[in-house]
Amino acid sequence: MSAPAGAELGSKGAAARGVTRGARSTTGLGALWVAVVALLAFMPYLVSQADTSILLNFFVLLTMATMWNLLAGYAGMVSIGQQAFVGLGAYGVLVLADAGFNPVAAIPVAAVMCAAISLPISLLVFRLRGGYFAIATWVVADAASLVISSNSSIGGGTGKTVPGMSSLGPRAFEEVTYWAALAVVVVAVGLAYALLRSRLGLVLAAVRDNEVGARSAGARVATARRIVYLVAALGCGAAGALLAVSQLNVQPASVFGVQWSAEMIFVTMIGGIGTIEGPVLGTIVFFLLQQNLAHDGAWYLIIFGSLAVAIAIWAPRGLWGTATSRLRVQLFPVGYHVGRPRRTRDVVPEPPAAPPAASTT
Amino acid sequence: MAPLLELVHVKKRFGQVTIAEDVSFAVEPGAAVGIVGPNGAGKTTLFGVVSGDVRPDAGDVLLDGRVVSRLDPAARCRLGIGRTYQVPRPFDKMTVFENVLLAAQQGARARGPESYAHALAALDSTGLAPDANRLAGSLGLLARKRLELARALATQPRLLLLDEVAGGLTDLEVGELVSVVREANERGVAVIWIEHVVRALLATVDRLLCLAGGEVIGDGDPREVLASPRVREVYLGTDAAVGESVT
Ligand SMILES: Nc1ncnc2c1ncn2[C@@H]1O[C@H](COP(=O)(O)OP(=O)(O)O)[C@@H](O)[C@H]1O
Ligand SMILES: [Mg+2]
């Protein structure tokens, strides 16, 4: 995941061409990301407790948005029911903590449980396409919420407090939950990136461009979609688990709320669907607006909603997509580049303004 | 030994239009078979039946003597059926190399450097190597057709289905195409080639099927099939083309 490793290989003939990842030289990007994560890890020592908790919520939403982006932006599955896994992740932590588990250690366990539950759910919702799929995912989320609410041993409709964190002082609690959230978002974005760079990522891109062509070239579309759905459940489950640990209280109406889907969709659309950078940028914009306008009541939501609509109409590729369509910047390069056998030439496919001069030796 | 491909009593209709009434034929491993027939005869649909895109109303498709009628296109590709589409289906927002790499990784189940080697070899043999880093969406029609062929080759097929890949090519380009297909065939890949450019077929295949009215109306030595009265009848008006190519 750091500096892209070029694979030198000899093909037939004298010409040996290197195949590298990413359209431009991307050495140093790995170092950049390490520096960013290291800086974020020090944040609890640099900023106030309130700001730490804002950053924590930023990580939670970014994790969710990254997962929704994988689903809708790459696998063509527009879900409005990912709160099913947010809620189940939160309740996973609650149940495990009730049984004596350390809540922080329960985060990955709850996430894996969500991934496991997503498999049978996928058998159900994958029978539907497009809008029907979207609605089915919402129905599943509501059903999960109902089942949980009717179970009084885990707090019923009013919810329950997550035990097991009281031994930590307030300062240590803040730090531990912050680092847990940072770890989750780094793993989530890293996993999304690794997935898109893998063979599966190529399958998703091909299916997006031409599904019939992809199938006849051997791509197993249903398997690819199922893996993405599973990963998205894992990520959203981890985000929900973080909510439980950081808020120390789990309520069905809150963790299963459709507002999670609304926020994931908003930030992804604003930042740029179908790019890894998009949700990052969109989540930053969301939190900036929220922090600057939250004291004016719900104004930030209205402004944010209007922004999302405006972007959907005039810049459907989102802020990142629009900005980089000219600049060709890639902070997460996923493509391939074939080196020239002999001399190097710029091979970026820009339509030439004038016909290329005949062999400028 | 079982034939590589066998169609058994395949029947297909679209509404009132009969595409295949009762089509049966077999193709041996390593064979080179041409298919001709008037437009709308159902040639492309028949490829769909073989590759899994089209579900026949009745009949079966066998690969290596095993019924594959219920397998989806991806599974059939992985078993060795590689196809091109008459109307190209490129992955527009991916580069030419990535288009072909997908086929190598999925169809041929290759990984890492092995998949790169398959992809580069397919680009080399189809002359697309200089365009490796271009987006497929920026290619012209002829290059798209080459990309179809490159993608099919990169799946490392045992059976290659070519659907009118020579249309619109110059004589020189037809010659290059023929040598690519023959090269694959000499490596043991069985080829079934639907083509109106009869001279390309005659340079490549040793068996020709003629499809018309939902039936196989000619099957055998290419020149004999083209000379048979029934085939000449359905090709009425294009006698010149056929006559030219037989010489
Ligand atoms: N999906 C479809 N639905 C209805 N009719 C179709 C479909 N696909 C092909 N056809 C019709 O079937 C006939 C045979 O088409 P095709 O197989 O493309 O013939 P060919 O390749 O021999 O020119 C044509 O009349 C075409 O319009
Ligand atoms: Mg056709």
Side-chain angles (χ1 to χ4, degrees):
Chain A
M1 225 173 301
S2 56
E8 282 289 327
L9 55 97
S11 73
K12 68 173 192 176
R17 284 155 294 178
V19 175
T20 50
R21 309 298 304 268
R24 285 283 157 98
S25 166
T26 49
T27 330
L29 270 183
L32 172 73
W33 289 122
V34 169
V36 167
V37 172
L39 179 67
L40 286 173
F42 272 103
M43 277 301 179
Y45 304 118
L46 303 177
V47 299
S48 72
Q49 211 157 320
D51 287 344
T52 310
S53 108
I54 290 167
L55 276 172
L56 184 150
N57 289 322
F58 171 86
F59 297 152
V60 171
L61 181 56
L62 178 52
T63 301
M64 292 185 199
T66 297
M67 294 303 136
W68 191 80
N69 185 39
L70 274 184
L71 277 175
Y74 289 95
M77 294 184 285
V78 178
S79 162
I80 49 175
Q82 285 310 102
Q83 65 273 20
F85 303 111
V86 174
L88 289 174
Y91 273 94
V93 165
L94 175 69
V95 169
L96 288 167
D98 269 344
F101 254 86
N102 177 307
V104 174
I107 294 172
V109 182
V112 169
M113 275 164 42
C114 285
I117 293 169
S118 77
L119 260 182
I121 293 177
S122 78
L123 295 179
L124 199 69
V125 295
F126 274 32
R127 294 172 174 271
L128 303 166
R129 282 272 165 268
Y132 297 101
F133 170 82
I135 290 170
T137 58
W138 194 359
V139 169
V140 166
D142 267 13
S145 174
L146 278 174
V147 169
I148 299 273
S149 304
S150 64
N151 196 331
S152 58
S153 71
I154 46 175
T158 49
K160 207 173 168 188
T161 300
V162 178
M165 294 294 274
S166 50
S167 57
L168 292 175
R171 177 75 202 171
F173 171 75
E174 201 74 40
E175 285 169 6
V176 166
T177 50
Y178 175 88
W179 285 324
L182 179 61
V184 166
V185 76
V186 167
V187 170
V189 175
L191 191 63
Y193 182 43
L195 205 124
L196 294 173
R197 275 175 70 96
S198 73
R199 298 183 302 154
L200 181 76
L202 206 57
V203 169
L204 295 175
V207 171
R208 176 198 64 201
D209 283 358
N210 196 310
E211 186 168 337
V212 173
R215 287 178 192 276
S216 78
R220 293 200 276 205
V221 179
T223 307
R225 289 211 171 107
R226 189 154 280 130
I227 292 171
V228 171
Y229 191 74
L230 198 136
V231 169
L234 183 85
C236 287
L242 282 173
L243 287 176
V245 173
S246 63
Q247 298 175 353
L248 290 180
N249 186 37
V250 181
Q251 260 185 326
S254 156
V255 290
F256 284 105
V258 75
Q259 89 276 356
W260 293 120
S261 272
E263 288 180 11
M264 300 176 211
I265 295 171
F266 270 4
V267 299
T268 307
M269 303 263 305
I270 285 179
I273 190 167
T275 63
I276 299 180
E277 297 89 345
V280 181
L281 188 58
T283 311
I284 291 173
V285 171
F286 181 83
F287 272 82
L288 286 179
L289 281 177
Q290 193 185 43
Q291 291 318 307
N292 289 304
L293 300 168
H295 46 82
D296 300 328
W299 268 106
Y300 81 93
L301 275 179
I302 294 169
I303 290 178
F304 203 75
S306 314
L307 187 63
V309 171
I311 282 177
I313 295 172
W314 289 296
R317 300 175 63 191
L319 295 176
W320 182 264
T322 306
T324 55
S325 62
R326 296 208 181 82
L327 297 174
R328 297 189 168 280
V329 188
Q330 272 187 313
L331 297 182
F332 295 94
V334 296
Y336 291 81
H337 184 88
V338 182
R340 288 277 162 151
R342 274 169 236 108
R343 70 200 186 104
T344 47
R345 212 191 304 166
D346 194 9
V347 284
V348 176
E350 285 150 355
S359 72
T360 46
T361 331
Chain B
M1 192 167 84
L4 177 62
L5 175 76
E6 208 174 348
L7 269 67
V8 187
H9 302 304
V10 167
K11 187 174 162 179
K12 181 70 194 175
R13 286 198 182 142
F14 287 120
Q16 298 294 327
V17 190
T18 300
I19 305 297
E21 187 52 54
D22 179 15
V23 172
S24 299
F25 64 86
V27 173
E28 300 300 322
V33 182
I35 296 185
V36 293
N39 275 322
K43 306 181 295 295
T44 296
T45 306
L46 204 63
F47 267 12
V49 169
V50 174
S51 72
D53 290 327
V54 175
R55 190 167 285 266
D57 302 331
D60 274 314
V61 179
L62 281 73
L63 194 69
D64 304 314
R66 185 187 145 206
V67 177
V68 295
S69 306
R70 291 185 173 279
L71 297 183
D72 72 353
R76 294 194 207 186
C77 176
R78 285 162 178 245
L79 286 176
I81 300 178
R83 76 165 291 181
T84 69
Y85 287 93
Q86 184 175 353
V87 179
R89 295 181 167 278
F91 310 132
D92 280 344
K93 290 178 197 142
M94 290 161 51
T95 67
V96 167
F97 176 74
E98 287 162 2
N99 267 259
V100 180
L101 183 65
L102 174 106
Q105 293 185 339
Q106 300 303 314
R109 281 180 274 188
R111 293 163 179 263
E114 189 198 359
S115 68
Y116 301 163
H118 284 335
L120 290 172
L123 292 183
D124 280 337
S125 64
T126 52
L128 278 171
D131 297 319
N133 296 314
R134 274 180 71 176
L135 291 184
S138 74
L139 297 178
L141 178 63
L142 291 183
R144 281 166 197 245
K145 288 202 163 198
R146 285 189 191 181
L147 181 55
E148 284 290 317
L149 176 58
R151 217 160 67 185
L153 287 172
T155 67
Q156 310 296 312
R158 291 182 296 137
L159 174 63
L160 180 61
L161 307 177
L162 303 173
D163 196 350
E164 302 202 16
V165 283
L169 299 187
T170 65
D171 281 356
L172 187 72
E173 288 165 338
V174 168
E176 286 170 5
L177 177 64
V178 164
S179 65
V180 172
V181 177
R182 287 181 62 150
E183 194 186 288
N185 187 233
E186 276 153 22
R187 285 201 316 265
V189 179
V191 176
I192 308 180
W193 189 351
I194 296 172
E195 194 53 74
H196 283 305
V197 184
V198 176
R199 66 179 183 283
L201 286 188
L202 290 178
T204 315
V205 305
D206 41 36
R207 176 182 166 200
L208 191 65
L209 294 179
C210 182
L211 220 67
E215 282 181 82
V216 178
I217 62 163
D219 182 356
D221 176 79
R223 280 155 223 275
E224 282 170 23
V225 168
L226 288 173
S228 82
R230 262 188 101 183
V231 172
R232 293 189 82 90
E233 198 181 319
V234 305
Y235 263 105
L236 208 69
T238 58
D239 278 24
V242 175
E244 169 235 351
S245 49
V246 172
T247 52

